[in-house]
Amino acid sequence: MEKQKVIIVGASHGGHQSALELLDKYDNVDVTIYEAGDFVSFMSCGMQLYLEDKATAKDDVRNFAPADLEAKGGRIFNNHQVTKINADKKTVIVKDVLTDQEEEVSYDKLILSSGVTPQTLPVPGNDLENIYLMRGYDWAGKIKSALNNPAIKNVAVIGAGNIGVEAVEVFANAGRNVTLLDMIDKPMGNYVNDELADLVAAELEKHHVTQVLGAKIEAFEGDGKVTAIKTDKGQVDTDLVIVAAGVKPNTKWLEGTVDLTDRGFIQTDAYLRTNLPDVYAIGDAILPWSIPGQAHMPVALATTARREAMYLASHLFESKPSRPFKGVVGSSAFGVFDLHGASAGLNTFSAGRIGKKIATSFYEDSKRPAYVPEKDNAKVYVSLTFDPDSHQILGGAVLSSDDITAQTNVLSLAIEHKLILEDLAEADFFFQPGYDRQWSLLNLAAQHALGWARF
């Protein structure tokens, strides 16, 4: 029997997972990944660990090595960019970016995992030297060099989300004067509700990070090399700018061929199919189904891409998939100096983007019973987002100087299975005073959201 030829565009989380799943599940598949970049495949989410010398080596910060895929019978070509889809002939045009040579390659199934590219700021001076992006293998090397350059004393980070806060921490811990800038008015304000964002702001202030928030970037200034950022709130002097201002889907090459949203995301149906026959899409360049949001919305996470890939590999060769992709919750963790946080599902910002009616609750307590001394009894914080009518749990986040981030895995499961506050308030969790309180933290947070008497 002739093998089914599967071409995958992009070698990051979604492309990698798709290839491995297909090679593990089927004997009659011929799997090829085309990756436009040189290095396969850098994990930008591990960049902070590399910059802080907490990774074994720069080349180890990757999803997989080509040899891992080849050992299973797959093939991968780096420095090869897919530039066009000929849906009528079921072929793609692939360009070797080093030689500019092109070839036409046929497929039976085509999986688009083209990912995203970091946003740059379209303002004067954005081509000056020492303006870096906090994403990708090459930028990681440049940022590492800057980190080791004593001449760089003042660092400005644009973007107060997870990646930007990581950059702030790296340079602040290295003794630099760091300024954080963003259009939003609270750090991590797109990730967590206001009360937790306020705690993040206080932690940044405690570590002497200057915060210029609610600001519009008007220009970069300097003679060849950046020396200042002009904003509507004044000028910020700097020797280095790290831009972590979000991402955009890498889909320009698909315009006119594959249906895209007005923001450039690939449109997919409930089975991750595009408008073209036998062409599918996964990863950060699509808008997956949000379980709590009950809408298609951006959830740019490695965990999302891998779940999509696992689903797709299981149903790729069915004439009609036996079930739709169930969607994702969207869960992630973050650190801010001495604080550990994690979030799942919707928050005020993401719910507002889709017009979802929500209520929120903020709970503060100590981790263990009151008789445990304060030095061993950290403050813990829980924010819950829920439907005000049904009490269905739609999102949540935790924060503490102790690492309680695993609590968010419980919240994620509760969100996925559409539990209500009453379910969480009464859930049977363990108690041992060396670890928690008589009622578990999430029990107490849900009871508080319901207005029950404080235990």
Side-chain angles (χ1 to χ4, degrees):
M1 180 178 178
E2 188 174 347
K3 289 188 174 183
Q4 289 281 305
K5 191 170 184 180
V6 181
I7 288 179
I8 300 170
V9 180
S12 192
H13 296 283
H16 164 223
Q17 185 81 38
S18 298
L20 293 181
E21 292 280 339
L22 289 166
L23 291 166
D24 284 342
K25 287 179 181 296
Y26 308 102
D27 294 325
N28 64 328
V29 291
D30 179 329
V31 177
T32 302
I33 298 178
Y34 290 109
E35 166 59 43
D38 179 63
F39 187 81
V40 179
S41 70
F42 187 73
M43 292 180 65
S44 291
C45 52
M47 188 183 291
Q48 182 178 7
L49 294 175
Y50 161 67
L51 295 173
E52 294 180 335
D53 295 324
K54 295 177 182 177
T56 51
K58 179 184 174 185
D59 285 1
D60 294 341
V61 186
R62 66 196 310 171
N63 289 305
F64 72 108
D68 299 333
L69 184 67
E70 292 162 359
K72 291 179 173 289
R75 294 187 304 276
I76 182 164
F77 295 91
N78 62 325
N79 295 309
H80 280 68
Q81 182 177 11
V82 177
T83 60
K84 185 179 180 182
I85 302 171
N86 299 310
D88 54 340
K89 297 193 295 181
K90 296 186 74 171
T91 64
V92 292
I93 303 300
V94 183
K95 182 177 75 171
D96 184 325
V97 300
L98 300 180
T99 66
D100 281 338
Q101 289 186 326
E102 292 185 339
E103 64 175 322
E104 188 171 9
V105 184
S106 64
Y107 64 83
D108 295 304
K109 304 286 184 178
L110 176 63
I111 300 174
L112 305 178
S113 182
S114 53
V116 292
T117 55
Q119 291 272 22
T120 56
L121 299 182
V123 298
N126 65 358
D127 57 347
L128 291 171
E129 292 182 18
N130 280 15
I131 300 177
Y132 293 172
L133 301 176
M134 187 71 173
R135 190 179 181 94
Y137 181 85
D138 293 336
W139 287 114
K142 292 179 180 179
I143 294 172
K144 185 72 167 180
S145 296
L147 193 63
N148 295 326
N149 183 354
I152 293 177
K153 302 183 184 301
N154 300 306
V155 178
V157 177
I158 299 176
N162 197 351
I163 303 302
V165 169
E166 286 184 353
V168 165
E169 186 171 355
V170 166
F171 280 96
N173 284 338
R176 304 311 202 274
N177 301 315
V178 181
T179 301
L180 177 64
L181 305 95
D182 205 318
M183 293 179 62
I184 63 175
D185 59 2
K186 296 189 180 188
M188 298 292 292
N190 294 354
Y191 290 78
V192 296
N193 292 336
D194 283 352
E195 297 89 348
L196 294 190
D198 288 338
L199 292 168
V200 170
E203 184 72 6
L204 292 169
E205 184 176 351
K206 185 178 97 174
H207 287 83
H208 312 294
V209 175
T210 302
Q211 300 173 63
V212 182
L213 301 174
K216 179 182 177 182
I217 309 298
E218 297 179 341
F220 298 110
E221 299 180 340
D223 184 10
K225 184 182 296 185
V226 68
T227 57
I229 301 172
K230 181 183 177 183
T231 82
D232 61 349
K233 290 192 171 183
Q235 178 174 295
V236 176
D237 294 331
T238 188
D239 304 310
L240 174 71
V241 175
I242 304 292
V243 178
V247 294
K248 58 184 177 181
N250 182 23
T251 56
K252 186 75 175 174
W253 64 285
L254 294 172
E255 290 180 358
T257 303
V258 173
D259 287 346
L260 306 175
T261 70
D262 56 357
R263 294 176 58 200
F265 288 95
I266 300 171
Q267 292 190 5
T268 58
D269 66 8
Y271 308 101
L272 303 181
R273 301 178 297 194
T274 71
N275 60 299
L276 301 179
D278 294 312
V279 180
Y280 307 78
I282 58 176
D284 293 354
I286 76 166
L287 298 175
W289 182 253
S290 165
I291 294 173
Q294 290 294 287
H296 291 280
M297 56 190 297
V299 188
L301 295 167
T303 49
T304 297
R306 290 186 178 276
R307 281 158 179 75
E308 292 163 349
M310 181 179 287
Y311 163 83
L312 188 58
S314 296
H315 301 279
L316 189 66
F317 300 111
E318 297 174 359
S319 56
K320 181 179 180 181
S322 57
R323 66 174 178 89
F325 178 61
K326 69 178 180 180
V328 295
V329 171
S331 304
S332 61
F334 59 92
V336 188
F337 293 105
D338 299 324
L339 294 180
H340 309 275
S343 64
L346 301 182
N347 53 50
T348 303
F349 174 80
S350 57
R353 291 180 68 174
I354 58 172
K356 188 80 170 179
K357 181 182 177 184
I358 61 164
T360 65
S361 174
F362 175 69
Y363 182 69
E364 174 183 349
D365 212 326
S366 59
K367 183 177 179 181
R368 301 181 179 95
Y371 60 78
V372 177
E374 186 175 333
K375 67 181 180 64
D376 297 318
N377 200 3
K379 285 284 190 181
V380 288
Y381 308 93
V382 182
S383 176
L384 295 178
T385 301
F386 54 94
D387 184 294
D389 300 319
S390 69
H391 292 175
Q392 181 183 334
I393 302 166
L394 302 175
V398 300
L399 190 70
S400 177
S401 58
D402 273 10
D403 187 356
I404 61 168
T405 52
Q407 297 274 8
T408 302
N409 288 329
V410 178
L411 289 175
S412 182
L413 197 61
I415 295 164
E416 180 177 341
H417 289 277
K418 302 182 179 179
L419 300 189
I420 60 175
L421 290 173
E422 287 82 353
D423 294 323
L424 191 58
E426 300 173 352
D428 188 359
F429 300 129
F430 77 83
F431 162 62
Q432 209 288 333
Y435 296 93
D436 66 355
R437 299 175 62 86
Q438 292 93 328
W439 283 95
S440 182
L441 175 61
L442 296 183
N443 289 142
L444 292 167
Q447 291 168 14
H448 174 75
L450 290 164
W452 295 2
R454 182 182 176 90
F455 174 74

